[in-house]
Amino acid sequence: MYKAYRIKSHIKSRIKNSSTVGCQQQGASTLLFALFAVAVLTTAVVALTFGHMFGYQRGYHALQTETEQAAIDNEQVTNELEDLRISNKVLSSQAETAKQELAISLANLEELRRNQQELKVESEQVAQLNQLYAKVITEQGGMALQVLGAKIEPLPENAFEYGFDVGMLSEDGEAKSLTVTLTLQNQDSFVEVPLNPTGYAIEGIVRIRGRFVMPDNFDPLQVKLSLEADGQEVEQLYDWQLGDRVDSMPLSLLDLPEIDQSPIQP
């Protein structure tokens, strides 16, 4: 019985110890769970805090970059607008200048047209008057063959330019064939100047123009112009009085303009 009591007491003691250990284990588990929960919560808070800070920094830097880029873009747009404004101002000025030049050109063109019209009228009037004079002269027996004007001028490269104005009106008022010969003479010999053309049709005034190159080692003393038309012959002698080369003369025949067909002034 005593043994049974001891066994019973031992069983009770074991049960009591087991309850105590269970309570201790339950308390330790609760504490571990609480610590785990606190650790998880702390980790979450730290992670959230760092995430928020990292996100804020990234967002701040992104916003700062966008702001700087926007400022750069705004400056570029401002510069482009300024360039466009300057270009528009220049184009407007050029357009205004072109407009003024066009107005001046149109005014000059109109004045030129009026001048041409006036010259045309004057030319027709002079032609009409010349026809009247020619008719009157013809009715009075015509005008004999004669030289109205003559000139010879020095040119570069030992060349010379000649010009003769010849007039004649026949009794019948018809054009007649005119033959022209130009000769250079000195004491010992003469040289005939080649003319192109050598023949003309004369009915009023003929202007004989041309150029020739002086032969080497030939110094003329006189120039003889021989004319023949409608049975009339005329010879005119001119003393060779050309001096030294003119200082303002062009360097080459290629630099010379076309031969002047203006009337020769006496």
Side-chain angles (χ1 to χ4, degrees):
M1 185 175 177
Y2 177 74
K3 185 178 183 179
Y5 175 76
R6 288 182 65 185
I7 292 172
K8 186 176 180 181
S9 297
H10 178 72
I11 291 173
K12 287 182 179 182
S13 178
R14 289 287 302 271
I15 292 173
K16 184 178 181 180
N17 290 336
S18 297
S19 297
T20 302
V21 171
C23 289
Q24 291 178 350
Q25 288 179 350
Q26 185 176 1
S29 298
T30 302
L31 180 59
L32 289 175
F33 179 76
L35 292 175
F36 176 76
V38 171
V40 171
L41 182 60
T42 302
T43 302
V45 170
V46 171
L48 183 62
T49 301
F50 277 104
H52 176 72
M53 291 179 61
F54 181 73
Y56 174 77
Q57 289 180 352
R58 290 192 60 182
Y60 175 77
H61 289 300
L63 181 60
Q64 187 178 19
T65 302
E66 291 179 358
T67 303
E68 292 176 354
Q69 185 63 40
I72 295 174
D73 294 341
N74 184 51
E75 184 177 0
Q76 291 178 348
V77 170
T78 302
N79 293 334
E80 291 176 357
L81 288 176
E82 182 65 18
D83 292 340
L84 288 175
R85 187 186 68 80
I86 295 174
S87 299
N88 182 62
K89 186 176 180 180
V90 172
L91 291 175
S92 299
S93 177
Q94 292 177 349
E96 185 64 24
T97 301
K99 191 178 190 180
Q100 294 175 358
E101 291 177 351
L102 178 60
I104 294 173
S105 298
L106 291 176
N108 293 338
L109 183 62
E110 179 63 22
E111 183 179 0
L112 179 62
R113 187 191 65 79
R114 289 196 302 268
N115 292 338
Q116 287 181 339
Q117 184 64 26
E118 292 176 358
L119 289 175
K120 181 180 179 181
V121 172
E122 291 179 1
S123 178
E124 291 175 351
Q125 292 174 349
V126 171
Q128 186 180 25
L129 185 61
N130 288 340
Q131 290 177 359
L132 178 61
Y133 287 159
K135 182 179 180 181
V136 172
I137 294 173
T138 299
E139 291 175 352
Q140 294 179 356
M143 180 179 68
L145 180 63
Q146 57 187 297
V147 179
L148 304 176
K151 70 174 183 179
I152 296 180
E153 297 178 346
L155 298 176
E157 302 172 8
N158 200 29
F160 296 87
E161 182 174 299
Y162 61 83
F164 302 98
D165 290 344
V166 178
M168 190 192 81
L169 279 173
S170 62
E171 295 181 357
D172 58 7
E174 300 293 332
K176 303 300 178 180
S177 178
L178 173 66
T179 302
V180 182
T181 304
L182 184 63
T183 307
L184 304 176
Q185 301 177 348
N186 60 19
Q187 293 179 349
D188 301 324
S189 61
F190 66 90
V191 174
E192 184 174 331
V193 177
L195 304 181
N196 185 22
T198 58
Y200 298 84
I202 185 168
E203 184 185 6
I205 298 177
V206 169
R207 308 191 192 283
I208 302 169
R209 302 288 188 272
R211 293 167 179 167
F212 69 91
V213 177
M214 182 68 68
D216 294 336
N217 301 321
F218 187 84
D219 296 322
L221 297 177
Q222 290 181 323
V223 179
K224 183 174 73 171
L225 177 65
S226 301
L227 305 172
E228 182 180 355
D230 194 26
Q232 302 181 51
E233 295 183 1
V234 174
E235 287 187 354
Q236 187 74 45
L237 287 174
Y238 303 95
D239 291 336
W240 188 265
Q241 298 178 346
L242 297 178
D244 295 333
R245 174 178 175 143
V246 181
D247 293 337
S248 60
M249 185 183 301
L251 297 177
S252 173
L253 290 173
L254 298 176
D255 298 328
L256 294 175
E258 295 294 328
I259 298 176
D260 187 8
Q261 298 293 332
S262 300
I264 298 172
Q265 299 298 326

